[in-house]
Amino acid sequence: MIGQAVRVYRREPARVAGAALVLMLPPVVAGVGAEHLIERWDPDVLDGGVIAVVALAALAGVLTSVGTIVYAGVLDELVGSVIRGAPRPSVSEAVRSLPIGLLIGADLVAAVLVG
């Protein structure tokens, strides 16, 4: 299986890296934004800044979790197509074929069990 994964990456690095960029860039931007707000936040002034920081940090966490789940699923679809000898789906086709709800539910259960 690792050999097929390496083969997919060698054949289509733009697809693998592009999917990573599309799915992982938003949480990075949200996390950097939250960090920037924290650095500029004045603890002596209680205003909506606290809510904005917490909301942005929570958004970054959710996007990271969902992005990781979807990216893993996309890679599974791409590598699976190589193993089966089937035509490789586009990234959007791979995303649409994933049981997103079940994957997010499984991730939440795992997070609760680990936590």
Side-chain angles (χ1 to χ4, degrees):
M1 178 113 157
I2 292 174
Q4 285 90 352
V6 171
R7 191 174 335 151
V8 168
Y9 181 73
R10 271 193 261 149
R11 283 185 189 168
E12 303 181 46
R15 183 181 285 191
V16 173
L21 184 65
V22 167
L23 295 169
M24 301 311 231
L25 186 61
V28 169
V29 169
V32 168
E35 185 176 323
H36 182 68
L37 285 176
I38 289 170
E39 289 173 358
R40 295 184 60 215
W41 181 51
D42 182 3
D44 294 333
V45 178
L46 292 176
D47 59 3
V50 174
I51 294 169
V53 169
V54 169
L56 198 52
L59 177 65
V62 168
L63 288 176
T64 298
S65 182
V66 171
T68 303
I69 291 167
V70 173
Y71 185 60
V74 167
L75 290 181
D76 282 347
E77 289 294 321
L78 293 176
V79 173
S81 68
V82 169
I83 291 171
R84 292 186 304 273
R88 280 175 292 294
S90 69
V91 172
S92 63
E93 290 170 343
V95 169
R96 283 193 303 270
S97 73
L98 297 174
I100 300 291
L102 290 174
L103 292 171
I104 291 172
D107 188 56
L108 291 174
V109 169
V112 168
L113 290 175
V114 170

